[in-house]
mmCIF file of all heavy atoms in Angstrom:
data_model
loop_
_atom_site.group_PDB
_atom_site.id
_atom_site.type_symbol
_atom_site.label_atom_id
_atom_site.label_comp_id
_atom_site.label_asym_id
_atom_site.label_seq_id
_atom_site.Cartn_x
_atom_site.Cartn_y
_atom_site.Cartn_z
ATOM 1 N N ILE A 239 0.829 5.109 5.532
ATOM 2 C CA ILE A 239 1.415 4.007 6.297
ATOM 3 C C ILE A 239 0.868 4.023 7.755
ATOM 4 O O ILE A 239 0.356 5.036 8.223
ATOM 5 C CB ILE A 239 2.974 4.123 6.370
ATOM 6 C CG1 ILE A 239 3.409 5.455 7.027
ATOM 7 C CG2 ILE A 239 3.583 3.973 4.991
ATOM 8 C CD1 ILE A 239 4.845 5.472 7.474
ATOM 9 N N GLY A 241 2.878 1.523 9.927
ATOM 10 C CA GLY A 241 3.861 0.710 10.662
ATOM 11 C C GLY A 241 5.259 0.781 10.106
ATOM 12 O O GLY A 241 5.816 1.853 9.911
ATOM 13 N N ASN A 242 5.781 -0.395 9.772
ATOM 14 C CA ASN A 242 7.195 -0.544 9.364
ATOM 15 C C ASN A 242 7.647 0.293 8.180
ATOM 16 O O ASN A 242 8.756 0.801 8.164
ATOM 17 C CB ASN A 242 7.445 -1.997 8.982
ATOM 18 C CG ASN A 242 7.987 -2.744 10.168
ATOM 19 O OD1 ASN A 242 8.585 -2.160 11.062
ATOM 20 N ND2 ASN A 242 7.748 -4.039 10.192
ATOM 21 N N GLY A 243 6.802 0.337 7.167
ATOM 22 C CA GLY A 243 7.125 1.166 6.005
ATOM 23 C C GLY A 243 8.146 0.572 5.051
ATOM 24 O O GLY A 243 8.788 1.310 4.317
ATOM 25 N N SER A 244 8.263 -0.777 5.012
ATOM 26 C CA SER A 244 9.246 -1.323 4.062
ATOM 27 C C SER A 244 8.772 -1.142 2.625
ATOM 28 O O SER A 244 9.581 -0.930 1.727
ATOM 29 C CB SER A 244 9.560 -2.783 4.376
ATOM 30 O OG SER A 244 8.429 -3.602 4.178
ATOM 31 N N ASN A 245 7.451 -1.217 2.385
ATOM 32 C CA ASN A 245 6.953 -0.943 1.027
ATOM 33 C C ASN A 245 7.146 0.532 0.678
ATOM 34 O O ASN A 245 7.461 0.864 -0.460
ATOM 35 C CB ASN A 245 5.489 -1.308 0.905
ATOM 36 C CG ASN A 245 5.286 -2.798 0.666
ATOM 37 O OD1 ASN A 245 5.479 -3.292 -0.439
ATOM 38 N ND2 ASN A 245 4.958 -3.529 1.727
ATOM 39 N N LEU A 246 6.974 1.383 1.662
ATOM 40 C CA LEU A 246 7.226 2.811 1.454
ATOM 41 C C LEU A 246 8.667 3.023 1.014
ATOM 42 O O LEU A 246 8.947 3.706 0.014
ATOM 43 C CB LEU A 246 6.946 3.596 2.740
ATOM 44 C CG LEU A 246 7.501 5.010 2.774
ATOM 45 C CD1 LEU A 246 6.777 5.905 1.786
ATOM 46 C CD2 LEU A 246 7.398 5.614 4.178
ATOM 47 N N ALA A 314 0.037 1.444 2.113
ATOM 48 C CA ALA A 314 1.137 0.477 2.297
ATOM 49 C C ALA A 314 1.200 0.137 3.787
ATOM 50 O O ALA A 314 1.905 0.749 4.553
ATOM 51 C CB ALA A 314 2.456 1.066 1.819
ATOM 52 N N GLY A 315 0.349 -0.838 4.167
ATOM 53 C CA GLY A 315 0.284 -1.198 5.581
ATOM 54 C C GLY A 315 -0.516 -0.160 6.378
ATOM 55 O O GLY A 315 -0.252 0.006 7.572
ATOM 56 N N TYR A 316 -1.475 0.486 5.724
ATOM 57 C CA TYR A 316 -2.307 1.483 6.416
ATOM 58 C C TYR A 316 -3.470 0.762 7.089
ATOM 59 O O TYR A 316 -4.218 0.034 6.433
ATOM 60 C CB TYR A 316 -2.828 2.497 5.401
ATOM 61 C CG TYR A 316 -3.484 3.714 6.016
ATOM 62 C CD1 TYR A 316 -2.746 4.571 6.819
ATOM 63 C CD2 TYR A 316 -4.814 4.017 5.779
ATOM 64 C CE1 TYR A 316 -3.331 5.704 7.367
ATOM 65 C CE2 TYR A 316 -5.409 5.139 6.321
ATOM 66 C CZ TYR A 316 -4.665 5.977 7.115
ATOM 67 O OH TYR A 316 -5.241 7.103 7.655
ATOM 68 N N MET A 317 -3.589 0.920 8.400
ATOM 69 C CA MET A 317 -4.506 0.089 9.191
ATOM 70 C C MET A 317 -5.888 0.716 9.419
ATOM 71 O O MET A 317 -6.694 0.149 10.132
ATOM 72 C CB MET A 317 -3.873 -0.251 10.531
ATOM 73 C CG MET A 317 -2.573 -1.028 10.440
ATOM 74 S SD MET A 317 -2.718 -2.533 9.463
ATOM 75 C CE MET A 317 -3.545 -3.576 10.647
ATOM 76 N N ASN A 334 -4.075 -0.487 -2.897
ATOM 77 C CA ASN A 334 -3.601 -1.108 -1.651
ATOM 78 C C ASN A 334 -2.838 -2.383 -1.986
ATOM 79 O O ASN A 334 -3.068 -3.006 -3.014
ATOM 80 C CB ASN A 334 -4.810 -1.461 -0.763
ATOM 81 C CG ASN A 334 -4.400 -2.094 0.541
ATOM 82 O OD1 ASN A 334 -3.455 -1.645 1.203
ATOM 83 N ND2 ASN A 334 -5.085 -3.153 0.934
ATOM 84 N N ILE A 335 -1.917 -2.755 -1.105
ATOM 85 C CA ILE A 335 -1.261 -4.051 -1.233
ATOM 86 C C ILE A 335 -1.672 -4.935 -0.072
ATOM 87 O O ILE A 335 -1.717 -4.491 1.077
ATOM 88 C CB ILE A 335 0.273 -3.913 -1.354
ATOM 89 C CG1 ILE A 335 0.894 -5.275 -1.679
ATOM 90 C CG2 ILE A 335 0.909 -3.301 -0.121
ATOM 91 C CD1 ILE A 335 2.165 -5.190 -2.481
ATOM 92 N N HIS A 336 -2.010 -6.191 -0.420
ATOM 93 C CA HIS A 336 -2.497 -7.131 0.599
ATOM 94 C C HIS A 336 -1.675 -8.425 0.531
ATOM 95 O O HIS A 336 -1.413 -8.930 -0.560
ATOM 96 C CB HIS A 336 -3.984 -7.432 0.359
ATOM 97 C CG HIS A 336 -4.575 -8.272 1.422
ATOM 98 N ND1 HIS A 336 -4.898 -7.795 2.666
ATOM 99 C CD2 HIS A 336 -4.853 -9.593 1.436
ATOM 100 C CE1 HIS A 336 -5.378 -8.787 3.414
ATOM 101 N NE2 HIS A 336 -5.347 -9.892 2.691
ATOM 102 N N PRO A 337 -1.322 -8.984 1.705
ATOM 103 C CA PRO A 337 -0.428 -10.151 1.690
ATOM 104 C C PRO A 337 -1.122 -11.501 1.512
ATOM 105 O O PRO A 337 -0.872 -12.431 2.267
ATOM 106 C CB PRO A 337 0.259 -10.058 3.067
ATOM 107 C CG PRO A 337 -0.776 -9.433 3.932
ATOM 108 C CD PRO A 337 -1.567 -8.498 3.064
ATOM 109 N N TYR A 349 -1.119 -14.602 7.309
ATOM 110 C CA TYR A 349 -0.156 -15.714 7.229
ATOM 111 C C TYR A 349 -0.636 -16.912 8.050
ATOM 112 O O TYR A 349 -0.549 -18.064 7.606
ATOM 113 C CB TYR A 349 1.235 -15.260 7.663
ATOM 114 C CG TYR A 349 1.728 -14.058 6.905
ATOM 115 C CD1 TYR A 349 2.012 -12.848 7.567
ATOM 116 C CD2 TYR A 349 1.898 -14.109 5.527
ATOM 117 C CE1 TYR A 349 2.446 -11.742 6.865
ATOM 118 C CE2 TYR A 349 2.328 -12.997 4.815
ATOM 119 C CZ TYR A 349 2.595 -11.818 5.493
ATOM 120 O OH TYR A 349 3.010 -10.722 4.800
ATOM 121 N N CYS A 362 0.878 -12.139 -2.964
ATOM 122 C CA CYS A 362 0.356 -10.817 -2.633
ATOM 123 C C CYS A 362 -0.488 -10.303 -3.771
ATOM 124 O O CYS A 362 -0.390 -10.776 -4.904
ATOM 125 C CB CYS A 362 1.504 -9.857 -2.311
ATOM 126 S SG CYS A 362 2.576 -9.561 -3.726
ATOM 127 N N LYS A 394 5.952 -14.446 5.747
ATOM 128 C CA LYS A 394 5.964 -12.982 5.673
ATOM 129 C C LYS A 394 7.155 -12.510 4.843
ATOM 130 O O LYS A 394 7.014 -11.649 3.960
ATOM 131 C CB LYS A 394 6.011 -12.380 7.087
ATOM 132 C CG LYS A 394 5.955 -10.885 7.074
ATOM 133 C CD LYS A 394 5.931 -10.295 8.478
ATOM 134 C CE LYS A 394 6.014 -8.780 8.359
ATOM 135 N NZ LYS A 394 6.067 -8.123 9.649
ATOM 136 N N THR A 397 6.548 -13.334 1.210
ATOM 137 C CA THR A 397 5.478 -12.505 0.639
ATOM 138 C C THR A 397 5.977 -11.076 0.409
ATOM 139 O O THR A 397 5.753 -10.490 -0.648
ATOM 140 C CB THR A 397 4.247 -12.484 1.581
ATOM 141 O OG1 THR A 397 3.841 -13.818 1.842
ATOM 142 C CG2 THR A 397 3.100 -11.705 0.975
ATOM 143 N N GLN A 398 6.691 -10.556 1.402
ATOM 144 C CA GLN A 398 7.115 -9.157 1.254
ATOM 145 C C GLN A 398 8.134 -8.972 0.132
ATOM 146 O O GLN A 398 8.126 -7.974 -0.549
ATOM 147 C CB GLN A 398 7.642 -8.625 2.587
ATOM 148 C CG GLN A 398 6.469 -8.455 3.587
ATOM 149 C CD GLN A 398 6.638 -7.309 4.535
ATOM 150 O OE1 GLN A 398 7.681 -7.144 5.135
ATOM 151 N NE2 GLN A 398 5.586 -6.510 4.699
ATOM 152 N N GLU A 401 6.125 -8.492 -2.682
ATOM 153 C CA GLU A 401 5.427 -7.182 -2.636
ATOM 154 C C GLU A 401 6.304 -6.081 -3.237
ATOM 155 O O GLU A 401 5.792 -5.178 -3.890
ATOM 156 C CB GLU A 401 5.063 -6.820 -1.194
ATOM 157 C CG GLU A 401 3.944 -7.678 -0.634
ATOM 158 C CD GLU A 401 3.448 -7.216 0.731
ATOM 159 O OE1 GLU A 401 4.149 -6.431 1.401
ATOM 160 O OE2 GLU A 401 2.365 -7.645 1.112
ATOM 161 N N TYR A 402 7.619 -6.187 -2.973
ATOM 162 C CA TYR A 402 8.506 -5.132 -3.469
ATOM 163 C C TYR A 402 8.603 -5.140 -4.994
ATOM 164 O O TYR A 402 9.035 -4.149 -5.592
ATOM 165 C CB TYR A 402 9.909 -5.263 -2.840
ATOM 166 C CG TYR A 402 9.884 -5.307 -1.324
ATOM 167 C CD1 TYR A 402 10.781 -6.063 -0.603
ATOM 168 C CD2 TYR A 402 8.913 -4.603 -0.614
ATOM 169 C CE1 TYR A 402 10.744 -6.130 0.782
ATOM 170 C CE2 TYR A 402 8.864 -4.654 0.778
ATOM 171 C CZ TYR A 402 9.771 -5.442 1.471
ATOM 172 O OH TYR A 402 9.702 -5.489 2.846
HETATM 173 C C1 GRF B 117 2.460 -5.468 3.875
HETATM 174 O O1 GRF B 117 2.799 -6.811 4.001
HETATM 175 C C2 GRF B 117 1.131 -5.305 3.188
HETATM 176 O O2 GRF B 117 0.773 -6.400 2.403
HETATM 177 C C3 GRF B 117 0.146 -5.177 4.314
HETATM 178 O O3 GRF B 117 0.847 -4.557 5.340
HETATM 179 C C4 GRF B 117 2.226 -4.836 5.238
HETATM 180 C C5 GRF B 117 2.982 -3.550 5.388
HETATM 181 O O4 GRF B 117 4.343 -3.768 5.533
HETATM 182 N N1 GRF B 117 -1.023 -4.457 3.880
HETATM 183 P P1 GRF B 117 5.356 -2.552 5.520
HETATM 184 O O5 GRF B 117 4.861 -1.553 6.552
HETATM 185 O O6 GRF B 117 5.349 -1.970 4.134
HETATM 186 O O7 GRF B 117 6.676 -3.138 5.882
#
Side-chain angles (χ1 to χ4, degrees):
I239 59 164
N242 266 334
S244 66
N245 279 282
L246 165 68
Y316 191 63
M317 300 305 283
N334 181 44
I335 187 150
H336 185 76
Y349 305 118
C362 65
K394 183 177 174 183
T397 304
Q398 290 213 312
E401 288 188 344
Y402 306 146

